[in-house]
Amino acid sequence: MKILVVNAGSSSLKYQLFDMDTNEVLAKGNCERIGIDGFITHKCPGKEDFKTEANFPDHKAAIEYVLALLTDKERGVISSIEEISAVGHRVAHGGEKLRKSSILGEEEVAYLESIVGLNPLHGPPAISGFKACKEVMPNINHVGVFDTSYYSDMTEEAYIYPIPYEFYEEYKVRRYGFHGTSHRYVAGEAAKLLGKKDAKIITCHLGNGSSITATVNGKAVDTSMGFTPQDGVPMGTRSGAIDPTVVTYIQKVKGISAEEADVILNKNSGLLGVSGVSSDCRDICAEAEKGNFRAALALKILVHNIKKIIGSYIAEMNGVDAIVFTAGIGENDRQIREDVCKDMNWLGIEIDEAYNKTCPRGEIVDISAKTAKVKTFVIPTNEEYMIALDTQNLTK
Ligand code: ADP
């Protein structure tokens, strides 16, 4: 069974074609600068990478281009579009109603359209990406896999904010949580490694956007991102959790609008805001090594906040079996992993620092010290595979 996974952004459309019988990625790529001066990168194992300029006025033109490439005699991997059994779409926000991955019919799409206000950045492109794919592949099922749905089983005390209850009732202001597909995948892999279905696992997805999730028995019980992906640990350019009064105070002292304050907190804060160097951890580490105080401080603030959230989730779950690091920083930044796990031995968390420095990248590794009560794993995330798997399960 072949499944196409599509992740549509406002000016991009990423895709991966999976053969679910062999668990192989047959082809993957990205259409970028849709509506501007588009180009595509396309990769198939065993073939030369392909990159070219291409004119995509919209998502429909992009998906048509992708399908032509996938079936191309020279660069393609399938002989006809008919070989694609179903399409899985990454959708960031499923609101309160789309609580699990679902076949996208009229009702689901109407609901997604009704909640774009909750998700103005990612909602509209995901919907137009789906519509474009449905138009060119009308006879197969299209499945929506929602980043928020992993959090559907959280209890009210974990998702209701302590503000007037009417804001939840009338405007659906609550913690939704994001990166759910990634947390679900790596927590599932960790549970397999532990050989324990009811395991208590804390997954740290640390990338340009970062979130931490607590999972018990395969279900998320709490997560650091909230109403939006702005909450939780400091990120590349987002502040993460701060005293909410800082926002209104900044607005007053600088005489700026809510929108301008939003830009400061979303685009100019986090690692970039503190370091003044970059939003990219690699640049900040390099500057910190040269003695740049603010770069070093940004990293210390990041580590401090990750530790704080891990500690709070251990308290919430009354223990933990495994800590998992994933995504760009989690999978690659050995120093951040060491700093996060330092002085946590009282909680049973202890890593083999020497192995953490030398362990291979891009594969699952156990970096726990022999004496540690809690396992620490590095698990490369694979959201696309999770989407393909959900799509297969719903459509086969
Ligand atoms: P996104 O949230 O955009 O998917 P990624 O998961 O790709 O982000 O993570 C990007 C972050 O990972 C950046 O801060 C980058 O510096 C960091 N990163 C990527 N590779 C490395 C590396 N080899 N060493 C340290 N940090 C890395």
Side-chain angles (χ1 to χ4, degrees):
M1 185 178 196
K2 297 193 179 84
I3 305 261
L4 182 66
V5 172
V6 170
N7 181 356
S10 56
S11 66
S12 70
L13 186 142
K14 295 196 188 99
Y15 60 93
Q16 283 197 24
L17 182 67
F18 284 87
D19 184 336
M20 300 307 284
D21 302 322
T22 58
N23 275 343
E24 272 176 303
V25 176
L26 300 175
K28 63 176 176 183
N30 191 4
C31 304
E32 291 176 71
R33 296 177 67 85
I34 293 174
I36 315 169
D37 52 354
F39 68 92
I40 182 168
T41 38
H42 177 79
K43 296 180 183 189
C44 309
K47 292 188 185 193
E48 208 179 310
D49 292 355
F50 176 64
K51 185 172 179 179
T52 185
E53 286 176 12
N55 184 28
F56 316 124
D58 53 24
H59 284 101
K60 182 162 174 253
I63 190 68
E64 278 170 344
Y65 196 101
V66 169
L67 294 176
L69 208 47
L70 290 173
T71 52
D72 182 73
K73 278 212 172 62
E74 192 190 333
R75 307 198 186 278
V77 286
I78 49 175
S79 50
S80 128
I81 299 176
E82 312 298 314
E83 282 187 48
I84 300 173
S85 304
V87 183
H89 296 266
R90 182 188 181 191
V91 185
H93 212 311
E96 285 206 302
K97 288 205 178 134
L98 294 166
R99 297 167 59 90
K100 51 185 196 258
S101 301
S102 318
I103 292 178
L104 295 172
E106 274 173 32
E107 202 182 308
E108 288 75 19
V109 178
Y111 177 67
L112 287 176
E113 282 172 333
S114 76
I115 59 162
V116 289
L118 294 174
N119 181 31
L121 231 53
H122 300 112
I127 295 168
S128 62
F130 156 73
K131 285 185 173 168
C133 291
K134 184 77 184 166
E135 217 178 314
V136 293
M137 291 173 280
N139 300 322
I140 56 175
N141 280 314
H142 292 252
V143 169
V145 178
F146 312 100
D147 279 7
T148 48
S149 60
Y150 189 47
Y151 308 107
S152 300
D153 293 307
M154 288 194 310
T155 54
E156 281 123 331
E157 59 269 34
Y159 73 76
I160 297 287
Y161 289 122
I163 56 175
Y165 196 71
E166 294 74 31
F167 286 104
Y168 167 59
E169 291 179 310
E170 284 174 39
Y171 303 104
K172 297 294 167 206
V173 174
R174 52 161 284 182
R175 181 181 303 282
Y176 288 100
F178 297 89
H179 289 153
T181 311
S182 172
H183 289 287
R184 179 159 58 104
Y185 175 76
V186 295
E189 292 299 303
K192 279 192 231 161
L193 291 172
L194 293 165
K196 197 172 169 189
K197 258 191 124 181
D198 61 352
K200 297 171 179 172
I201 300 168
I202 297 175
T203 45
C204 306
H205 177 116
L206 310 173
N208 193 31
S210 298
S211 61
I212 303 183
T213 292
T215 292
V216 179
N217 199 9
K219 292 192 165 148
V221 293
D222 209 344
T223 191
S224 62
M225 282 180 169
F227 178 58
T228 69
Q230 161 74 316
D231 198 1
V233 287
M235 302 171 224
T237 61
R238 294 176 224 154
S239 64
I242 54 168
D243 178 343
T245 309
V246 170
V247 186
T248 45
Y249 182 75
I250 289 175
Q251 280 183 251
K252 271 187 239 156
V253 292
K254 286 193 73 83
I256 57 174
S257 65
E259 287 73 22
E260 286 168 310
D262 209 37
V263 170
I264 292 173
L265 295 166
N266 260 301
K267 304 262 183 230
N268 306 336
S269 295
L271 296 175
L272 172 67
V274 177
S275 71
V277 168
S278 165
S279 61
D280 191 300
C281 224
R282 285 165 289 199
D283 301 339
I284 300 167
C285 292
E287 272 300 307
E289 271 170 29
K290 286 188 222 154
N292 181 322
F293 164 78
R294 276 174 54 185
L297 178 61
L299 296 172
K300 281 192 210 159
I301 294 174
L302 175 66
V303 168
H304 176 84
N305 280 279
I306 296 170
K307 272 176 173 283
K308 198 153 94 173
I309 294 175
I310 290 176
S312 68
Y313 290 170
I314 294 174
E316 261 186 66
M317 296 191 291
N318 188 21
V320 65
D321 295 300
I323 308 290
V324 179
F325 289 97
T326 195
I329 298 172
E331 289 169 34
N332 296 299
D333 197 318
R334 302 168 194 272
Q335 192 60 49
I336 295 279
R337 292 199 302 253
E338 183 182 318
D339 293 348
V340 167
C341 296
K342 208 176 231 22
D343 298 331
M344 300 259 256
N345 52 337
W346 191 81
L347 294 169
I349 301 166
E350 219 178 328
I351 64 164
D352 179 334
E353 290 186 3
Y355 186 55
N356 178 52
K357 285 192 175 78
T358 56
C359 62
R361 286 181 207 260
E363 56 186 82
I364 294 179
V365 287
D366 177 351
I367 56 168
S368 339
K370 284 204 177 65
T371 45
K373 275 193 294 185
V374 174
K375 288 283 184 193
T376 303
F377 300 121
V378 180
I379 303 183
T381 193
N382 197 344
E383 289 159 286
E384 292 78 13
Y385 178 68
M386 196 81 250
I387 295 171
L389 209 56
D390 281 5
T391 306
Q392 180 186 34
N393 289 337
L394 278 166
T395 58
K396 72 180 169 192

